[in-house]
Amino acid sequence: MEKIREAIEQGKTALGIELGSTRIKAVLVDENGIPIASGSHDWENRLVDNIWTYTLEDIWTGIQDSYEKLAEDVRLRYHTALTTIGAVGISAMMHGYMVFDKAGELLVPFRTWRNTITGQASEVLTALFQFHIPQRWSIAHLYQAILNKEDHVKDIDYLITLEGYVHWKLTGQRVLGIGDCAGMFPVDSKTKDFNQKMIHQFDHLVEERNFPWKLRDILPQVMTAGQQAGRLTEEGARLLDKSGVLKAGVPLCPPEGDAGTGMTATNSVAQRTGNVSAGTSVFAMVVLEKELSKVHPEIDMVTTPSGDPVAMVHCNNCTSDLNAWVSLFEEFGEAAGLKMDRNQLFSLLYNKALEGDKDCGGLMAYGYLSGEHITHFEEGRPLFVRTPDSRFNLANFMRTHLYTSLGALNVGMDILFKEEGVKLDTLFGHGGLFKTKGVGQKLMAAAVHVPVAVMNTAGEGGPWGAALLASYMIQKKQGETLGQYLADRIFAGEQGTVVEPDMEDVKGFEQFMERYKHGLAIERAAVESMKY
């Protein structure tokens, strides 16, 4: 305790803050990357005028609350004040659209990754670049706004993602880590910058509109892991710490998306490694040995925080509908006088799923709270459906909702493995799906057909990954890569569990997926007949 207190007081620490879909979390680590304090704040996106968004007030209230709780955690545990930090890393949900004018004013409400309103732009840009541009990417949102003739476009001075916005306000620097830059606009892994050919193509595409800006002028500077990306200003320190105790001058690493911090937190930045984050949304990242043979609209090409090519399978929906059903069971339990700890309830229901039929007994569900680009849905309607002779019991019901949370992911992973021949040694899992020991891991292995590992540190997640990127910036040795730093100094001797695919589970999941694909017509009918 005395050593940790001295490290805190001497600034031999690193802080990671990540703005996730439902929680903002701050994690403080020591020089060995071990978490020593944390704080969090729950929040939810809003559907305003058919746009999924968070307000600026939501953002700063949440950041300040999570930091305040972390500082209080430090005070209670170590009996000292958090006056300085060795380095800070900011992370958040990738993609989306935040645009500001020359005065730094937000021009339109933040459009998050969850919006599927840029289909026309996505198609045009994919054809133009011969490179898949997903609907949630910043450039798709920008071009859709242009196609929609939105008045604000002419006034844009800065286009940025959520974590880039937070970093900008804390440091004054208009920069972004290459992993998240690759979720705004295609990057070149060789030059470690935006793809210049495609920049020119876009400028030519919109030339006749006579905007007062060129695309490169409104994008952030691209930075890679290990570079210093500015320092905490006096204004930034007050934004982060309302109490006024935290001193300015703390260095910040390049802000990264949740994909980059997920790779970092799971030690999956080397070739033939991958990680899957499964929670509100689910995405798998596979570090490639070579480029894919062709453009796949279901696969996004991004990079590691160091700029190496990564194939990303991103699905908007994962456990949200499943969580809603668990909440319903919780409500029933309370009405019946059976008060149960929520974690205990999840464990009970998840383990019950393992008793179900391997193919779920003919039950089917779609947890589409929002659209799902991999299966070509602009909107979603959560639904559960069965035939009169389906084996309808609690075990099959829960297994169905766990399976379907991985359904769209399975479609994308099959493209990588079966069409492109991508090789993957191990997939590292993290996120809420894996909190109940063994269950999510076992079913994920069935869905992706490769061993799934969950490390003891998996629960630390993205904010811990952001803290590790900050630590790497100030601790790296000459020529030490991020992969070497993680393998040799953070994960050396790390214990975890690996679950191999069970062939009966694999067979059952494949049978389920046949029904899943055929049943998409039911989901389509629900979208068309049940309007907001």
Side-chain angles (χ1 to χ4, degrees), residues 127-344:
L128 175 67
F129 299 148
Q130 286 300 292
F131 185 101
H132 176 48
I133 303 296
Q135 288 201 45
R136 65 188 181 281
W137 281 26
S138 306
I139 192 61
H141 279 281
L142 174 62
Y143 189 55
Q144 191 66 52
I146 292 171
L147 292 175
N148 294 346
K149 298 182 179 178
E150 296 186 38
D151 187 58
H152 76 270
V153 174
K154 68 181 187 310
D155 299 318
I156 295 174
D157 184 63
Y158 191 30
L159 166 61
I160 191 59
T161 61
L162 177 54
E163 66 269 34
Y165 160 70
V166 173
H167 183 97
W168 174 41
K169 290 301 178 182
L170 295 180
T171 66
Q173 301 298 310
R174 291 171 39 152
V175 303
L176 191 62
I178 191 168
D180 200 32
C181 285
M184 292 187 74
F185 189 89
V187 300
D188 185 332
S189 287
K190 295 184 178 67
T191 64
K192 304 289 193 280
D193 201 353
F194 290 114
N195 186 298
Q196 193 57 48
K197 176 185 175 183
M198 295 180 190
I199 291 276
H200 288 318
Q201 287 177 310
F202 184 85
D203 284 337
H204 181 69
L205 177 67
V206 302
E207 192 171 18
E208 63 184 28
R209 312 263 180 171
N210 294 315
F211 294 124
W213 47 261
K214 295 290 187 184
L215 181 59
R216 193 66 189 83
D217 298 332
I218 63 173
L219 291 174
Q221 177 188 347
V222 182
M223 302 192 78
T224 56
Q227 292 183 290
Q228 185 173 311
R231 290 181 177 273
L232 192 65
T233 63
E234 289 288 351
E235 180 185 6
R238 297 295 74 77
L239 266 177
L240 191 56
D241 178 18
K242 293 188 300 179
S243 73
V245 172
L246 182 63
K247 298 174 184 175
V250 177
L252 276 79
C253 68
E256 264 297 351
D258 49 3
T261 55
M263 282 186 266
T264 303
T266 53
N267 191 25
S268 49
V269 297
Q271 291 180 354
R272 291 177 69 110
T273 65
N275 82 93
V276 59
S277 174
T280 304
S281 63
V282 58
F283 56 84
M285 316 285 295
V286 180
V287 186
L288 301 176
E289 296 177 280
K290 60 181 181 179
E291 298 285 350
L292 299 182
S293 65
K294 63 179 181 179
V295 175
H296 296 277
E298 300 87 355
I299 307 297
D300 306 348
M301 290 304 301
V302 290
T303 76
T304 68
S306 299
D308 299 318
V310 171
M312 179 180 188
V313 179
H314 184 287
C315 310
N316 287 351
N317 303 280
C318 186
T319 61
S320 292
D321 190 44
L322 172 60
N323 294 344
W325 282 106
V326 174
S327 294
L328 189 71
F329 288 125
E330 181 179 39
E331 187 179 342
F332 165 77
E334 290 177 352
L338 303 171
K339 181 65 177 175
M340 184 180 291
D341 175 78
R342 192 167 177 80
N343 289 330
Q344 186 182 359

Side-chain angles (χ1 to χ4, degrees), residues 286-409:
V286 180
V287 186
L288 301 176
E289 296 177 280
K290 60 181 181 179
E291 298 285 350
L292 299 182
S293 65
K294 63 179 181 179
V295 175
H296 296 277
E298 300 87 355
I299 307 297
D300 306 348
M301 290 304 301
V302 290
T303 76
T304 68
S306 299
D308 299 318
V310 171
M312 179 180 188
V313 179
H314 184 287
C315 310
N316 287 351
N317 303 280
C318 186
T319 61
S320 292
D321 190 44
L322 172 60
N323 294 344
W325 282 106
V326 174
S327 294
L328 189 71
F329 288 125
E330 181 179 39
E331 187 179 342
F332 165 77
E334 290 177 352
L338 303 171
K339 181 65 177 175
M340 184 180 291
D341 175 78
R342 192 167 177 80
N343 289 330
Q344 186 182 359
L345 179 61
F346 268 99
S347 180
L348 173 70
L349 293 171
Y350 273 40
N351 279 288
K352 190 68 179 176
L354 297 184
E355 301 174 17
D357 295 319
K358 300 295 186 182
D359 68 345
C360 300
L363 308 184
M364 182 48 62
Y366 297 93
Y368 289 11
L369 266 74
S370 63
E372 192 59 79
H373 77 101
I374 285 185
T375 48
H376 312 293
F377 282 84
E378 299 298 312
E379 298 178 26
R381 301 290 185 272
L383 63 85
F384 169 73
V385 64
R386 63 189 176 97
T387 60
D389 62 346
S390 297
R391 293 181 293 282
F392 185 33
N393 56 47
L394 181 59
N396 280 341
F397 182 83
M398 290 307 301
R399 194 178 186 101
T400 296
H401 281 86
L402 282 162
Y403 269 12
T404 201
S405 67
L406 306 177
L409 178 73

Side-chain angles (χ1 to χ4, degrees), residues 53 97-100 105-111 150 152:
T53 188
Y97 185 73
M98 297 188 82
V99 283
F100 300 85
E105 296 297 318
L106 186 67
L107 290 168
V108 292
F110 171 32
R111 298 171 184 177
E150 296 186 38
H152 76 270

